């Protein structure tokens, strides 16, 4: 097992700066997910850990070794790719044990590990088939088996589920979580899917344009995003962002005046001008509550008389669109709320859940 440290990693392709200075510590046994929009540098970062790309500058340390100049095959890592990269003419069994044969592992040991891995991944029945005769999910399991059997110190995953349909993706996500719980190997997982990030990670690292925007536990990132980019990237449906004006004693949003004392950590201490300070305000759809089912206290605010514009039923939940001043906001309510389009309703929000951002920099205040 091994920890991983990235120290001021920079990667340029000619004039293009792709990774712009990443510092990250991954603990032994931790499951870390690198998440962010396409092109933010996730795969490049993972490939540098694997040794498939050379960093332009900075150090990569696996365990207690600086691995900058160590070839991929000597880093003791196993990698699972999006496109599986199975050998088409070899059977499932041969695909799984191929690396062990190359490493000249003792045959008895090969058989022991094969039995263990194929039982865990339910591959017993498939061992004699060729990759072409497998479903997408089965191929993905073979790719996982091939990685696991090497008993590497570190597992690297590059969007391993993105070629699967939604149902299978959810299933395999659970499987990967179970495998990690069982083996507890240090894992780095790249995805653009925030649901995978939230559900699998011990630590989520949100990348934006070659930088780490924020790293933390899934709940830290969900509840305390440092800026609007992170706030809107994590969580589905996305956080509502509306215009507001901050005064000394209250926050005004579309004519509603929210008392400041119970608002979330508004650290903004400078004197606020008399005409107020324009800000952006974030409220997650999940944090609106139907007043009929939620206790009103000093720590809640009632957005009264909101007009319902549209209702999107999801089954247990429904997503409900309201107009709040010029903005359209989304609330997620559950099936207890018996409402119809055009109705007016009151929604309560805990003041501590309302986040305030600088209008220009979009950083949390
Ligand atoms: P992500 O995995 O977050 O989608 P990548 O790490 O694959 O992003 O790529 C980050 C950026 O680097 C992209 O703009 C991509 O076009 C660029 N890039 C990746 N590989 C190369 C390369 N070999 N040469 C030039 N540019 C590259």
């Amino acid at each position: 097992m091994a920890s991983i440290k990235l120290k001021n990693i920079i990667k340029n392709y000619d004039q293009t700066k792709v990774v712009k200075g990443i510092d990250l510590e991954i603990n032994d046994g931790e499951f870390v997910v690198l998440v962010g929009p396409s092109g933010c540098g996730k795969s490049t970062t993972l490939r540098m850990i694997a040794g498939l790309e050379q960093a332009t500058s900075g150090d990569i340390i696996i365990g207690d070794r600086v691995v900058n100049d160590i070839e991929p095959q000597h880093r003791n890592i196993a990698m699972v790719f999006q496109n599986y990269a199975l050998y088409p003419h070899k059977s499932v069994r041969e695909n799984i044990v191929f690396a062990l044969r190359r490493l000249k592992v003792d045959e008895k040991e090969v058989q022991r590990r094969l039995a263990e891995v194929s039982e865990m991944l339910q591959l017993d029945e498939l061992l004699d088939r060729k990759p072409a005769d497998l479903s997408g999910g089965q191929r993905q399991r073979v790719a996982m088996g091939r990685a696991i059997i090497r008993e590497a110190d570190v597992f690297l995953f590059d969007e391993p589920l993105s070629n699967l349909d939604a149902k299978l993706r959810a299933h395999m996500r659970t499987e990967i979580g179970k495998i990690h719980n069982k083996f507890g190997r240090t894992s780095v997982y790249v995805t653009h899917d925030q649901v995978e990030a939230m559900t699998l990670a011990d630590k989520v690292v949100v990348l934006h344009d070659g930088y780490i925007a924020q790293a933390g536990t899934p709940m830290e990132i969900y509840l305390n995003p440092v800026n609007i980019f992170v706030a809107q990237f994590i969580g589905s449906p996305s956080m509502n962002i509306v215009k507001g004006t901050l005064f000394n004693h209250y926050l005004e949003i579309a004519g509603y005046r929210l008392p400041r004392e119970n608002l979330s950590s508004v650290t903004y201490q400078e004197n606020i001008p008399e005409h107020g300070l324009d800000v952006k305000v974030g409220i997650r759809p999940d944090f609106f509550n139907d007043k009929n089912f939620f206790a009103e206290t000093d720590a809640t605010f009632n957005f009264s008389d909101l007009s319902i514009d549209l209702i999107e039923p999801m089954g247990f939940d429904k997503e409900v669109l309201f107009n709040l001043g010029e903005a359209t906001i989304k609330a997620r309510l559950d099936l207890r709320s018996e409402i119809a389009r055009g109705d007016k309703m009151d929604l309560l929000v805990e003041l501590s859940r309302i986040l305030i951002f600088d209008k220009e920099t979009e950083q949390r205040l």
Side-chain angles (χ1 to χ4, degrees), residues 13 18 37-45 53 190:
Y13 290 109
V18 170
S38 180
C40 68
K42 306 179 293 291
S43 287
T44 305
T45 303
E53 297 282 353
V190 160

Side-chain angles (χ1 to χ4, degrees), residues 246-302:
L246 194 58
F247 293 91
N248 271 322
H249 298 293
Y250 58 91
L251 168 69
E252 188 166 309
I253 309 172
Y256 294 95
R257 287 188 169 186
L258 289 62
R260 243 188 95 172
E261 59 262 35
N262 286 319
L263 282 171
S264 72
S265 55
V266 181
T267 51
Y268 199 81
Q269 295 298 339
E270 286 169 51
N271 274 339
I272 292 173
E274 210 153 295
H275 58 272
L277 177 78
D278 287 339
V279 292
K280 291 182 178 169
V281 180
I283 312 176
R284 290 203 183 277
D286 304 306
F287 291 150
F288 287 99
N289 302 282
D290 186 335
K291 199 177 167 194
N292 292 319
F293 308 110
F294 203 79
E296 190 168 6
T297 69
D298 286 348
T300 59
F301 183 79
N302 182 19

Side-chain angles (χ1 to χ4, degrees), residues 167-318:
K167 198 167 164 198
L168 197 53
R169 209 159 59 215
H171 174 72
M172 286 305 295
R173 194 178 74 214
T174 310
E175 292 300 309
I176 290 174
K178 280 194 207 160
I179 290 167
H180 179 69
N181 288 344
K182 185 159 174 178
F183 282 89
R185 294 294 154 89
T186 311
S187 301
V188 188
Y189 187 107
V190 160
T191 182
H192 60 272
D193 180 332
Q194 57 95 20
V195 177
E196 281 173 28
M198 289 291 284
T199 51
L200 284 169
D202 296 315
K203 181 153 78 197
V204 175
V205 178
V206 183
L207 292 183
H208 183 202
D209 196 20
Y211 292 102
I212 294 181
Q214 188 170 4
T217 65
M219 286 316 279
E220 277 164 7
I221 303 250
Y222 178 77
L223 293 174
N224 273 314
V226 296
N227 59 30
I228 290 184
F229 173 79
V230 175
Q232 292 207 298
F233 193 78
I234 299 289
S236 175
S238 216
M239 185 184 282
N240 300 291
I241 302 289
V242 297
K243 284 186 197 164
T245 311
L246 194 58
F247 293 91
N248 271 322
H249 298 293
Y250 58 91
L251 168 69
E252 188 166 309
I253 309 172
Y256 294 95
R257 287 188 169 186
L258 289 62
R260 243 188 95 172
E261 59 262 35
N262 286 319
L263 282 171
S264 72
S265 55
V266 181
T267 51
Y268 199 81
Q269 295 298 339
E270 286 169 51
N271 274 339
I272 292 173
E274 210 153 295
H275 58 272
L277 177 78
D278 287 339
V279 292
K280 291 182 178 169
V281 180
I283 312 176
R284 290 203 183 277
D286 304 306
F287 291 150
F288 287 99
N289 302 282
D290 186 335
K291 199 177 167 194
N292 292 319
F293 308 110
F294 203 79
E296 190 168 6
T297 69
D298 286 348
T300 59
F301 183 79
N302 182 19
F303 287 93
S304 55
D305 268 340
L306 290 167
S307 297
I308 299 173
D309 222 19
L310 187 73
I311 301 173
E312 298 174 327
M314 302 282 164
F316 182 76
D317 295 322
K318 50 186 139 220

Side-chain angles (χ1 to χ4, degrees), residues 6-12 19 44-45 47-49 51-60 68-69 75:
L6 305 185
K7 288 193 172 168
N8 197 17
I9 294 296
I10 291 175
K11 177 69 181 176
N12 304 331
V19 174
T44 305
T45 303
R47 292 169 63 82
M48 287 190 286
I49 298 173
L52 301 172
E53 297 282 353
Q54 185 88 27
T56 305
S57 64
D59 285 327
I60 298 175
N68 298 9
D69 298 320
R75 293 189 182 196

Side-chain angles (χ1 to χ4, degrees), residues 94-127:
E94 290 165 333
N95 263 287
I96 293 176
V97 302
F98 184 73
L100 298 187
R101 292 258 153 78
R102 269 211 339 203
L103 294 168
K104 307 238 182 321
V105 174
D106 173 65
E107 186 57 28
K108 246 191 177 156
E109 176 64 9
V110 171
Q111 292 308 322
R112 184 191 70 75
R113 290 196 207 173
L114 176 64
E116 188 183 58
V117 166
S118 48
E119 191 201 328
M120 181 173 46
L121 291 170
Q122 293 161 12
L123 292 169
D124 300 287
E125 316 259 294
L126 308 175
L127 290 175

